[in-house]
Amino acid sequence: MRLNSLLVTVIVGNIISLSSFAANASIHSSGNFTSNGQCEAYQSFRKQTNPDNTQLVNNKQYAIKAINKKDFDWVQILIPNASPAMRWVSKSCGTTQFNSDDLTKSSTSTSTSTSTSTSLKTSSKSCDTRNDFDSYVLALTWQPGFCEHVNYKGNKPECTAINDGKLNITNLTLHGLWPNKASCGTKYGYCDRYARLDLSASTIKDIAPWMPNFYYQTKFGEYEWKKHGVCQNLDANDYFLTATKLVEKVDASAIGQFIKANIGNNVSTASFKKNLISHFGANAVDRISLACSQGKYLNEVRLNIGKSFNVNNNLQELLESGPKGRPFYGNCHKKIHIEAAGK
């Protein structure tokens, strides 16, 4: 009896052990994980251990090694400089793009799992396919408001120069001309992850007043080209020169005029919108939205325009060619401040 009892204990113990292992086992995967913030990277997501306090670098791409389950909420990635290098991050900390073979392997017979797998598979293909977009977002920066009030990461020499009074920017500048696909939300991009920016010296000179990072380096332009520019068909020189013409057009319009007339002042978003409606009409203004730091410092104006726009059209025509976007006030309060250059 003692022997039988012992055998039962061992067998039951092994079953429990194997069941526990199966429940906790991860699923091998491959693909890319692009971070959207500085999240913690854990050695164990269950214990929340992070021995060397490793955090993700915003907008950096990491290789995916595993997911914690089919309907996953944790992703294991490789961070070469971390110790250990294999780390778990929350799914919400970035965008996952799996290799299609892995998605097929991890699909199951249940309708829920199959649906999830198909959704991920479609997303990985359709949100990074070149020229597969339906409109553009023209994002324009009010540089003094951005440089003084946005907690940007890294060094921006143009902001240092503006805040020190060495560079005076009194025009709207180019953040980016972004191909946009409605079904992808904000995830359409990175259509060629090995792309490199190659601009002529004359193009850089023409861009600099409208994208002042180019006065000092091309780092920001390289980022915008790799993330957004490669998803459309123009070459780099034509793409940035076209974007520059659009910025000039908006800066010379009622949008730029209102901002420059109120430098250093507090204004209401309602009065800004009313002013623009008087120039472009309500239908066009439905394609414009604002962005503010802390809700009160204007730092960006975004315009939705059509995919096949004509850069020579007037601004109202450009706007009416695009889809409606978020509300005009965006994330801004009812009263906002239009910052002057320099601290």
mmCIF file of all heavy atoms in Angstrom, residues 70 103-118:
data_model
loop_
_atom_site.group_PDB
_atom_site.id
_atom_site.type_symbol
_atom_site.label_atom_id
_atom_site.label_comp_id
_atom_site.label_asym_id
_atom_site.label_seq_id
_atom_site.Cartn_x
_atom_site.Cartn_y
_atom_site.Cartn_z
ATOM 1 N N LYS A 70 -2.009 32.716 -26.685
ATOM 2 C CA LYS A 70 -2.565 33.022 -28.005
ATOM 3 C C LYS A 70 -3.265 34.380 -28.009
ATOM 4 O O LYS A 70 -3.045 35.204 -28.886
ATOM 5 C CB LYS A 70 -3.519 31.912 -28.449
ATOM 6 C CG LYS A 70 -2.810 30.625 -28.850
ATOM 7 C CD LYS A 70 -3.797 29.613 -29.418
ATOM 8 C CE LYS A 70 -3.054 28.378 -29.942
ATOM 9 N NZ LYS A 70 -2.450 27.595 -28.842
ATOM 10 N N LEU A 103 1.798 33.517 -37.324
ATOM 11 C CA LEU A 103 0.381 33.706 -37.069
ATOM 12 C C LEU A 103 -0.413 32.466 -37.472
ATOM 13 O O LEU A 103 -1.356 32.063 -36.811
ATOM 14 C CB LEU A 103 -0.123 34.922 -37.857
ATOM 15 C CG LEU A 103 0.364 36.278 -37.344
ATOM 16 C CD1 LEU A 103 -0.024 37.372 -38.319
ATOM 17 C CD2 LEU A 103 -0.224 36.570 -35.977
ATOM 18 N N THR A 104 0.002 31.847 -38.586
ATOM 19 C CA THR A 104 -0.683 30.636 -39.038
ATOM 20 C C THR A 104 -0.499 29.509 -38.039
ATOM 21 O O THR A 104 -1.424 28.779 -37.702
ATOM 22 C CB THR A 104 -0.137 30.202 -40.413
ATOM 23 O OG1 THR A 104 -0.310 31.284 -41.327
ATOM 24 C CG2 THR A 104 -0.870 28.985 -40.937
ATOM 25 N N LYS A 105 0.741 29.358 -37.518
ATOM 26 C CA LYS A 105 1.026 28.295 -36.559
ATOM 27 C C LYS A 105 0.242 28.478 -35.267
ATOM 28 O O LYS A 105 -0.155 27.510 -34.626
ATOM 29 C CB LYS A 105 2.524 28.269 -36.233
ATOM 30 C CG LYS A 105 3.392 27.790 -37.391
ATOM 31 C CD LYS A 105 4.858 27.940 -37.023
ATOM 32 C CE LYS A 105 5.765 27.650 -38.195
ATOM 33 N NZ LYS A 105 7.182 27.906 -37.875
ATOM 34 N N SER A 106 0.052 29.720 -34.844
ATOM 35 C CA SER A 106 -0.568 29.968 -33.549
ATOM 36 C C SER A 106 -2.090 30.045 -33.622
ATOM 37 O O SER A 106 -2.742 30.270 -32.619
ATOM 38 C CB SER A 106 -0.019 31.262 -32.939
ATOM 39 O OG SER A 106 -0.352 32.361 -33.740
ATOM 40 N N SER A 107 -2.675 29.905 -34.840
ATOM 41 C CA SER A 107 -4.128 29.933 -34.942
ATOM 42 C C SER A 107 -4.707 28.635 -34.383
ATOM 43 O O SER A 107 -4.063 27.595 -34.386
ATOM 44 C CB SER A 107 -4.564 30.122 -36.405
ATOM 45 O OG SER A 107 -4.124 29.034 -37.184
ATOM 46 N N THR A 108 -5.953 28.679 -33.914
ATOM 47 C CA THR A 108 -6.598 27.488 -33.352
ATOM 48 C C THR A 108 -7.926 27.265 -34.038
ATOM 49 O O THR A 108 -8.368 28.063 -34.869
ATOM 50 C CB THR A 108 -6.838 27.667 -31.841
ATOM 51 O OG1 THR A 108 -7.845 28.665 -31.673
ATOM 52 C CG2 THR A 108 -5.585 28.088 -31.123
ATOM 53 N N SER A 109 -8.576 26.186 -33.642
ATOM 54 C CA SER A 109 -9.853 25.845 -34.260
ATOM 55 C C SER A 109 -10.995 26.686 -33.735
ATOM 56 O O SER A 109 -12.074 26.698 -34.300
ATOM 57 C CB SER A 109 -10.172 24.362 -34.004
ATOM 58 O OG SER A 109 -10.212 24.109 -32.616
ATOM 59 N N THR A 110 -10.799 27.376 -32.628
ATOM 60 C CA THR A 110 -11.877 28.189 -32.077
ATOM 61 C C THR A 110 -12.052 29.429 -32.914
ATOM 62 O O THR A 110 -11.101 30.020 -33.413
ATOM 63 C CB THR A 110 -11.576 28.611 -30.625
ATOM 64 O OG1 THR A 110 -10.422 29.430 -30.621
ATOM 65 C CG2 THR A 110 -11.339 27.408 -29.742
ATOM 66 N N SER A 111 -13.304 29.882 -33.049
ATOM 67 C CA SER A 111 -13.575 31.031 -33.906
ATOM 68 C C SER A 111 -12.932 32.286 -33.374
ATOM 69 O O SER A 111 -12.470 33.133 -34.131
ATOM 70 C CB SER A 111 -15.094 31.235 -34.022
ATOM 71 O OG SER A 111 -15.670 31.449 -32.746
ATOM 72 N N THR A 112 -12.870 32.439 -32.033
ATOM 73 C CA THR A 112 -12.279 33.632 -31.445
ATOM 74 C C THR A 112 -10.805 33.727 -31.792
ATOM 75 O O THR A 112 -10.308 34.758 -32.219
ATOM 76 C CB THR A 112 -12.450 33.634 -29.918
ATOM 77 O OG1 THR A 112 -13.834 33.560 -29.614
ATOM 78 C CG2 THR A 112 -11.862 34.884 -29.309
ATOM 79 N N SER A 113 -10.056 32.623 -31.585
ATOM 80 C CA SER A 113 -8.625 32.624 -31.859
ATOM 81 C C SER A 113 -8.355 32.821 -33.327
ATOM 82 O O SER A 113 -7.439 33.517 -33.722
ATOM 83 C CB SER A 113 -8.007 31.309 -31.372
ATOM 84 O OG SER A 113 -8.126 31.196 -29.975
ATOM 85 N N THR A 114 -9.160 32.180 -34.194
ATOM 86 C CA THR A 114 -8.961 32.327 -35.629
ATOM 87 C C THR A 114 -9.170 33.766 -36.035
ATOM 88 O O THR A 114 -8.422 34.324 -36.832
ATOM 89 C CB THR A 114 -9.948 31.410 -36.383
ATOM 90 O OG1 THR A 114 -9.735 30.077 -35.974
ATOM 91 C CG2 THR A 114 -9.752 31.525 -37.885
ATOM 92 N N SER A 115 -10.195 34.390 -35.460
ATOM 93 C CA SER A 115 -10.477 35.788 -35.774
ATOM 94 C C SER A 115 -9.323 36.681 -35.355
ATOM 95 O O SER A 115 -8.910 37.569 -36.088
ATOM 96 C CB SER A 115 -11.765 36.219 -35.058
ATOM 97 O OG SER A 115 -11.982 37.580 -35.222
ATOM 98 N N THR A 116 -8.783 36.453 -34.146
ATOM 99 C CA THR A 116 -7.663 37.254 -33.660
ATOM 100 C C THR A 116 -6.454 37.087 -34.556
ATOM 101 O O THR A 116 -5.799 38.063 -34.936
ATOM 102 C CB THR A 116 -7.300 36.835 -32.225
ATOM 103 O OG1 THR A 116 -8.440 36.996 -31.400
ATOM 104 C CG2 THR A 116 -6.165 37.669 -31.685
ATOM 105 N N SER A 117 -6.139 35.827 -34.910
ATOM 106 C CA SER A 117 -4.988 35.560 -35.756
ATOM 107 C C SER A 117 -5.133 36.238 -37.099
ATOM 108 O O SER A 117 -4.215 36.848 -37.610
ATOM 109 C CB SER A 117 -4.820 34.053 -35.943
ATOM 110 O OG SER A 117 -3.764 33.774 -36.820
ATOM 111 N N THR A 118 -6.340 36.134 -37.719
ATOM 112 C CA THR A 118 -6.557 36.735 -39.027
ATOM 113 C C THR A 118 -6.433 38.238 -38.952
ATOM 114 O O THR A 118 -5.850 38.882 -39.819
ATOM 115 C CB THR A 118 -7.964 36.348 -39.539
ATOM 116 O OG1 THR A 118 -8.061 34.941 -39.574
ATOM 117 C CG2 THR A 118 -8.205 36.911 -40.922
#
